[in-house]
Amino acid sequence: MASAAKSSRSRPAGHSGVLPMHAAAGGGGGGGGDGAGSRLADKLKIFKTDKFDPDSYVQSKCQTMNEKEIRQLCSYLQDLKKASAEEMRRSVYANYAAFIRTSKEISDLERELQSIKNLLNTQSALIHGLSEGVQIDSLTTGPEDSEEESFSTVEDQELSEIQNWYTDFPERLDVLLAERRVDEALDALDEAERIAADAKQKQILSTAEILALKRAISDNRQKLSDQLAEAACQSSTCGIELRAAASALKRLGDGPRAHSLLLSAHNQRLQGNIQTTHPSSTAYRGAYTAALAKQVFSAISHALSDSMEVFGDEPSYASEVVTWATKQAMLFALLVKRHALASCAASGGLRAAAECVQIALGYCSLLEARGLSLSGVVMKQFRPCVEQALDSSLRRIEESTSALAAADNWVLVYSPTGIRPFARSSAGNMAPKLSSSAHRFNSMVQDFFEDVGPLLSLQLGGSTMDGLLKIFNTYIDLLVSALPSSMDDEANLEGLGNKIIRMAETDEQQLALLANASLLAEELLPRAAMKLPSVNQTSMDSMPKRGPEKQNRASEHREWKRKLQRMVDKLRDSFCRQHALALIFTEEGDTHLSAEMYINMDNNVQEIEWVPSLIFQELYAKLHRMAGIATEMFVGRERFATLLMMRLTETVILWLSEDQTFWEEIEEGPRALGPLGLQQFYLDMQFVILFGQGRFLSRHVHQVILNIIDRGMAAFSATGLDPDSALPSDDWFIEVAQDTISRISGKAQTATSEREVHSPTASVSAQSVSSVRSHGSS
């Protein structure tokens, strides 16, 4: 086993072979499958040559590198080393079952061969004895004088030294066994084996005596073996005595039995210690996990040490130790799962579950230093319970936030007492302001990330981030449901289920919904995610040249933030759609923006007061009022507020651009658009361009307005009239639009002529009107 561990540490690690210079600089991509394996083998050939010089190789690769690149190279090689060690461990575990099964079959075959050999030796000795007996009988037929002389010679001959030893051997061995003098008994048995072989060769003892001696040796070996096995099974046998018994059994030629008894003894002691570790006797789950882990992993460590000391690193015994250790680790994991993690999973106790996992991984790491990796076995059992605890924790966040949303008054305040404070906003030194449900959501998410951090070894990073996206999306749905218009949406009501949401009636409350969502998505949730080690490592790594793994993590984190933003966009679009519909339609369902309002102007006999249409005045008034509120709510996030106002303008303009009924009446209706209607239509569009420049109008919407003007002027041209001759000068449109803007915004006005001559805004507006007029004419 030691050799296996050593090989896993000494192999070059990595997924794409030996690190070339460009990989250190650019972090080249890793391969996979058979292609990656063949490339790895090709790149490792340089290390297998007898003439390979590590110092020369490193010097050749690093000679042109600066300190930063060398550090990056070292970091990359460390990552490859860890990946290689993990891959080696998986490969070894994948083949353990077949290897152990083959080893046992070989051991059984060796024992059968030894039995056959002993049987053949016995049969050979029996045949040889019978043959000698026949010869002795034939000799008795000789002359009586020879027979008498032979017997007298035997009787008179003194017993030889070997015969004396043969006579004393059984009694002496019985004494040694009775006194448990194991080493001396082993020496006596070895001596008996040697003497039996020597006597057979020199024919000092008869065949019958040799057979009797061998039977005595065999019987006493078995007796000693049983005596050692009995001693090894005693709970009172200490570690030294256990190792001595196993070593003696191995010397007797029964190594597999010795190793099995060694592991059985450790298992017996472990089971006894486990029985004394009761879940009810500990104050909390972590204490039970720690106590149980100490018992189990200490037993595994001692068994590993005893096996190495007695049997060395022989593969068959090392594999048996690994199998036994895996079984004990599995037992440990099941006990912790039953008595600690199961309750954590049911109650959503993610922190308690994380503590149990950390304790287990800490003990596993101690054995990994000795080449035995059990973390995979333990984590495989822990994973379902931890995932359940993760889901329960996320569900608790969702339920708690929903409960608070039912009573949330949607007023932004600083963090209230009882909720942990969090990091200050990037806008400045002021802590961020949220409504009560958003404060609770943020606080619980922070705790969640702190608890889930130690569980990343279970490779739960993806499910953790996805789970957070899910509950944030649920919270966004709650905010959408707080918009008054959502009550008319049956699909939204079905999604709410039995949840009760307090409506956001005023503009301030509705903007507070957006402030909650934007601050959580842009700052607070990404900052909370920084508590995850993998995310933090990705974010802190500002080096432009990174390995593929870090680049993937950075890409995944960016995609996660984009998903958060898309959820905020859903709320923003609902907000803008609600306010746009409120501007366009009346409560009875009629529209404030129809073709008739322009077509009927030429049939109106009353004097016309030239101002932008009411719907566009209300649009600007709403934008102006909301912009003032957003200035206080979105401190440091003015871009979000600007995009929100632009989106509201875009919603109204796109509705006009895509309203088929409106354009069918303008272009194909029974009554054509007249000069006054064109003038009002042109004034409305120019008014939107003027008040939206730089604040409420994007380039895309500006182009849409130009296209709308083109379409209206084309419809007017279809009547045979010239639009340019029907429209007043550009200055007239600027004056009317600016007067309306000043009146709605409440700004003091100066003389019209002075504004037209000196105002930069008037200059820009004039250019805009001129460009629109020329665009429409073309």
Side-chain angles (χ1 to χ4, degrees):
M1 171 134 93
S3 61
K6 179 179 179 181
S7 63
S8 69
R9 292 193 296 268
S10 61
R11 288 187 181 181
H15 55 276
S16 58
V18 180
L19 181 68
M21 290 304 295
H22 69 273
D34 296 338
S38 60
R39 292 195 299 271
L40 176 61
D42 293 338
K43 294 179 180 179
L44 290 178
K45 288 181 179 179
I46 185 175
F47 299 108
K48 298 180 180 179
T49 60
D50 297 335
K51 298 180 180 180
F52 176 71
D53 184 2
D55 294 334
S56 301
Y57 177 80
V58 173
Q59 186 175 6
S60 66
K61 294 295 182 182
C62 302
Q63 189 172 7
T64 59
M65 298 174 65
N66 56 34
E67 181 180 358
K68 181 178 180 181
E69 292 173 334
I70 292 176
R71 291 181 180 274
Q72 186 177 357
L73 172 61
C74 293
S75 175
Y76 187 81
L77 290 175
Q78 288 293 335
D79 293 341
L80 293 182
K81 181 179 178 182
K82 293 178 181 178
S84 176
E86 178 65 18
E87 183 65 26
M88 179 64 181
R89 183 187 66 80
R90 292 177 181 173
S91 299
V92 171
Y93 270 118
N95 298 319
Y96 262 141
F99 182 81
I100 294 169
R101 184 173 62 255
T102 304
S103 299
K104 289 183 177 179
E105 291 175 356
I106 292 174
S107 299
D108 295 339
L109 182 60
E110 288 177 347
R111 284 195 293 270
E112 291 177 2
L113 290 175
Q114 185 63 36
S115 300
I116 294 174
K117 181 179 178 182
N118 294 337
L119 180 60
L120 292 175
N121 289 336
T122 303
Q123 294 294 332
S124 177
L126 178 59
I127 294 172
H128 185 68
L130 292 174
S131 175
E132 287 185 351
V134 172
Q135 292 178 3
I136 293 173
D137 290 340
S138 65
L139 290 176
T140 59
T141 61
E144 294 181 1
D145 294 341
S146 300
E147 181 180 354
E148 292 177 358
E149 182 179 356
S150 175
F151 276 112
S152 62
T153 302
V154 172
E155 290 176 356
D156 293 341
Q157 185 179 8
E158 294 182 357
L159 293 175
S160 65
E161 180 181 352
I162 298 298
Q163 290 172 328
N164 290 334
W165 176 89
Y166 172 74
T167 303
D168 297 337
F169 171 70
E171 181 180 355
R172 184 161 59 91
L173 191 57
D174 288 340
V175 172
L176 293 175
L177 292 177
E179 296 178 356
R180 297 185 180 274
R181 293 154 64 181
V182 177
D183 291 337
E184 295 181 38
L186 288 172
D187 293 339
L189 289 172
D190 291 341
E191 183 183 6
E193 291 279 5
R194 179 182 57 78
I195 291 175
D198 189 55
K200 179 179 180 181
Q201 181 180 3
K202 296 180 180 180
Q203 298 183 352
I204 298 175
L205 298 175
S206 66
T207 302
E209 290 174 333
I210 292 176
L211 290 175
L213 178 59
K214 287 186 175 181
R215 280 195 300 272
I217 293 173
S218 179
D219 292 344
N220 283 283
R221 279 186 177 276
Q222 185 61 44
K223 185 177 180 180
L224 178 58
S225 179
D226 294 341
Q227 189 180 90
L228 291 171
E230 181 182 359
C233 294
Q234 296 295 327
S235 59
S236 59
T237 303
C238 65
I240 297 177
E241 294 173 343
L242 178 62
R243 290 191 294 272
S247 180
L249 278 171
K250 179 186 177 185
R251 186 174 170 184
L252 284 170
D254 202 357
R257 184 186 185 190
H259 197 261
S260 297
L261 287 172
L262 178 69
L263 296 180
S264 178
H266 282 288
N267 185 70
Q268 183 180 359
R269 295 176 187 176
L270 174 59
Q271 296 306 316
N273 292 333
I274 290 177
Q275 294 300 324
T276 62
T277 307
H278 300 291
S280 58
S281 64
T282 55
Y284 62 102
R285 303 177 186 95
Y288 171 73
T289 304
L292 186 62
K294 181 178 180 181
Q295 299 291 350
V296 173
F297 288 97
S298 295
I300 294 175
S301 179
H302 291 154
L304 180 62
S305 299
D306 289 349
S307 177
M308 289 292 295
E309 181 176 338
V310 178
F311 300 94
D313 56 356
E314 189 172 339
S316 60
Y317 297 128
S319 297
E320 190 174 0
V321 170
V322 171
T323 303
W324 179 84
T326 301
K327 182 179 179 181
Q328 305 311 314
M330 180 78 72
L331 173 64
F332 161 77
L334 291 174
L335 288 173
V336 173
K337 179 180 178 181
R338 181 188 309 161
H339 298 298
L341 290 181
S343 57
C344 294
S347 63
L350 191 59
R351 180 165 299 181
E355 183 180 6
C356 294
V357 171
Q358 275 188 302
I359 292 171
L361 290 178
Y363 278 95
C364 287
S365 65
L366 297 177
L367 291 179
E368 287 179 0
R370 303 181 60 180
L372 181 60
S373 178
L374 298 175
S375 58
V377 178
V378 174
M379 294 302 105
K380 183 178 180 180
Q381 297 298 321
F382 284 177
R383 186 180 183 91
C385 286
V386 172
E387 287 180 341
Q388 186 180 351
L390 185 69
D391 293 339
S392 298
S393 183
L394 290 171
R395 188 165 55 252
R396 189 172 68 250
I397 295 175
E398 178 181 337
E399 293 172 352
S400 177
T401 305
S402 299
L404 281 176
D408 200 332
N409 58 4
W410 309 118
V411 175
L412 302 184
V413 294
Y414 294 112
S415 178
T417 305
I419 296 181
R420 55 179 291 179
F422 42 80
R424 298 181 181 275
S425 172
S426 60
N429 294 326
M430 295 296 294
K433 298 172 68 175
L434 298 168
S435 69
S436 59
S437 62
H439 274 301
R440 183 61 177 170
F441 181 86
N442 177 63
S443 176
M444 295 185 73
V445 167
Q446 285 192 83
D447 293 338
F448 171 79
F449 274 118
E450 288 181 357
D451 296 343
V452 83
L455 301 176
L456 291 184
S457 58
L458 291 177
Q459 299 177 348
L460 294 173
S463 60
T464 298
M465 305 304 282
D466 291 342
L468 183 62
L469 285 175
K470 182 180 178 181
I471 62 171
F472 183 68
N473 186 59
T474 302
Y475 184 62
I476 291 295
D477 289 340
L478 289 175
L479 299 182
V480 171
S481 303
L483 294 172
S485 62
S486 65
M487 299 303 295
D488 300 328
D489 190 345
E490 294 183 359
N492 189 61
L493 290 176
E494 292 178 359
L496 276 177
N498 297 326
K499 298 175 182 176
I500 301 175
I501 306 299
R502 185 170 182 175
M503 290 294 103
E505 302 290 348
T506 66
D507 290 344
E508 289 82 356
Q509 290 176 319
Q510 294 172 20
L511 285 173
L513 302 179
L514 289 159
N516 284 339
S518 64
L519 185 57
L520 287 170
E522 294 177 5
E523 294 189 27
L524 301 181
L525 295 186
R527 188 179 300 137
M530 292 289 292
K531 296 176 182 178
L532 294 179
S534 60
V535 176
N536 188 32
Q537 182 180 359
T538 300
S539 179
M540 294 299 293
D541 187 4
S542 59
M543 297 173 60
K545 303 176 181 179
R546 294 182 291 190
E549 184 178 355
K550 292 181 179 179
Q551 288 178 346
N552 291 338
R553 289 200 300 264
S555 176
E556 291 173 358
H557 187 57
R558 287 193 296 270
E559 178 60 26
W560 182 75
K561 293 178 67 175
R562 281 193 290 268
K563 289 179 179 179
L564 291 176
Q565 189 57 52
R566 284 195 287 270
M567 295 174 187
V568 177
D569 292 343
K570 178 173 64 174
L571 174 62
R572 181 201 63 190
D573 293 344
S574 297
F575 171 87
C576 294
R577 183 169 58 253
Q578 168 191 300
H579 285 274
L581 294 176
L583 289 170
I584 296 172
F585 295 100
T586 64
E587 294 181 358
E588 293 76 18
D590 297 331
T591 178
H592 293 297
L593 184 57
S594 63
E596 287 79 3
M597 61 184 285
Y598 296 110
I599 295 175
N600 292 337
M601 291 191 68
D602 288 276
N603 299 326
N604 191 355
V605 297
Q606 298 179 355
E607 182 179 357
I608 299 175
E609 182 182 358
W610 289 104
V611 291
S613 298
L614 183 61
I615 180 176
F616 296 105
Q617 293 188 54
E618 292 180 352
L619 172 61
Y620 173 64
K622 182 177 288 290
L623 291 171
H624 181 73
R625 181 174 64 258
M626 287 187 174
I629 300 172
T631 301
E632 299 180 359
M633 285 191 178
F634 297 91
V635 177
R637 289 174 290 122
E638 290 78 6
R639 183 176 181 274
F640 179 86
T642 300
L643 293 176
L644 175 64
M645 302 300 116
M646 287 182 175
R647 181 61 176 170
L648 177 56
T649 306
E650 178 182 357
T651 304
V652 175
I653 297 301
L654 288 180
W655 188 92
L656 174 61
S657 174
E658 298 170 0
D659 185 7
Q660 295 300 323
T661 303
F662 178 90
W663 289 109
E664 286 176 359
E665 294 184 12
I666 291 291
E667 297 172 338
E668 303 173 2
R671 292 181 298 165
L673 181 67
L676 298 179
L678 176 64
Q679 183 174 344
Q680 181 66 53
F681 181 78
Y682 193 90
L683 174 61
D684 290 343
M685 295 300 100
Q686 188 57 47
F687 176 64
V688 175
I689 292 177
L690 289 176
F691 77 65
Q693 282 181 342
R695 295 186 65 193
F696 309 131
L697 201 64
S698 65
R699 293 181 180 179
H700 168 67
V701 178
H702 187 274
Q703 183 61 46
V704 172
I705 294 176
L706 295 181
N707 295 337
I708 291 174
I709 293 175
D710 285 348
R711 196 170 179 180
M713 296 181 73
F716 182 80
S717 299
T719 62
L721 301 176
D722 181 16
D724 288 332
S725 61
L727 295 176
S729 65
D730 295 341
D731 293 340
W732 182 86
F733 288 104
I734 294 175
E735 180 180 359
V736 174
Q738 290 287 9
D739 287 343
T740 306
I741 292 173
S742 299
R743 173 173 53 82
I744 294 175
S745 62
K747 295 180 179 178
Q749 298 186 52
T750 58
T752 301
S753 58
E754 182 180 351
R755 181 179 65 250
E756 292 178 351
V757 174
H758 300 289
S759 174
T761 304
S763 176
V764 173
S765 302
Q767 294 177 9
S768 176
V769 172
S770 177
S771 64
V772 170
R773 178 75 65 86
S774 62
H775 188 275
S777 300
S778 61

